[in-house]
Amino acid sequence: MLQFHSPLIYVLPASAAVSALLGEHADALVILGVVVVNAVVGFVQESRAEKALTALAALTRTTASVVRDGRSLTVPAADLARGDLVELAAGDKVPADLRLLRTDELPVDESALTGESVPVGKDPAALGEAPLADRRNMAFSGTLVTNGQGSGIVVATGAGTEIGDVHRLMRTTSTVGPLQQDR
């Protein structure tokens, strides 16, 4: 009921009371009617906004297709653990950092992580030490599978992922740029 937390709403009942004391009962009723209509409209809008936010939150939850005990399950990404076998398909958001075991025409859009402008083809072949953008045998949390399918083992979740490292670096980086510094 945030619609009652406004200075104007505090003034209106006082105005209705003054109008009633001065014998202007019609004006007092109109003012109180405005307060009631405002409360009803505000409540309806607040309710609709909460429903819309709930629906948006449901859309943004990442789920994963996991193989556990020989059965394929769909679980929230937050429930993944190191060692889980995750199945990927076109349109999936990668739920954790995965070491790929199998790929079938599996390009992944890594632009949010590496800045790469085109999807990167993935290959489960083992690599030596390689920069992040060259790790073709990995699928990273928060990236998007654009085509094909594959599977991989979870090697990192949450803040332990590569995107978690980016978030951590952003929090520790100064927000004042060289042009904003006082001289």
Side-chain angles (χ1 to χ4, degrees):
M1 292 298 232
L2 296 175
Q3 50 274 14
F4 288 119
H5 297 293
S6 165
L8 181 58
I9 298 301
Y10 298 145
V11 170
L12 286 174
S15 299
V18 170
S19 293
L21 289 174
L22 294 175
E24 300 292 333
H25 299 292
D27 289 344
L29 288 174
V30 169
I31 293 170
L32 289 176
V34 167
V35 172
V36 170
V37 168
N38 179 65
V40 169
V41 169
F43 177 77
V44 169
Q45 286 179 330
E46 196 176 305
S47 174
R48 286 183 180 171
E50 285 178 16
K51 287 179 185 175
L53 285 174
T54 302
L56 283 173
L59 286 175
T60 59
R61 285 190 194 110
T62 303
T63 60
S65 178
V66 180
V67 177
R68 290 183 179 161
D69 298 325
R71 294 186 346 215
S72 184
L73 307 167
T74 300
V75 299
D79 292 347
L80 289 176
R82 290 183 68 149
D84 277 341
L85 176 62
V86 175
E87 298 286 333
L88 298 173
D92 286 352
K93 182 176 179 183
V94 179
D97 285 358
L98 307 175
R99 169 61 173 90
L100 296 171
L101 301 176
R102 178 186 59 82
T103 61
D104 182 21
E105 307 271 329
L106 186 73
V108 176
D109 178 359
E110 296 181 340
S111 59
L113 183 62
T114 65
E116 187 69 37
S117 63
V118 294
V120 177
K122 295 297 180 173
D123 181 356
L127 296 174
E129 286 294 314
L132 181 66
D134 294 335
R135 296 183 198 161
R136 304 279 190 247
N137 63 347
M138 296 287 294
F140 300 105
S141 178
T143 61
L144 301 170
V145 177
T146 60
N147 195 22
Q149 56 188 357
S151 62
I153 298 290
V154 174
V155 296
T157 61
T161 63
E162 293 295 336
I163 199 76
D165 286 345
V166 170
H167 287 286
R168 189 171 30 263
L169 287 171
M170 288 178 67
R171 281 194 307 268
T172 60
T173 302
S174 171
T175 59
V176 176
L179 297 176
Q180 298 169 324
Q181 292 177 347
D182 291 333
R183 294 185 182 213

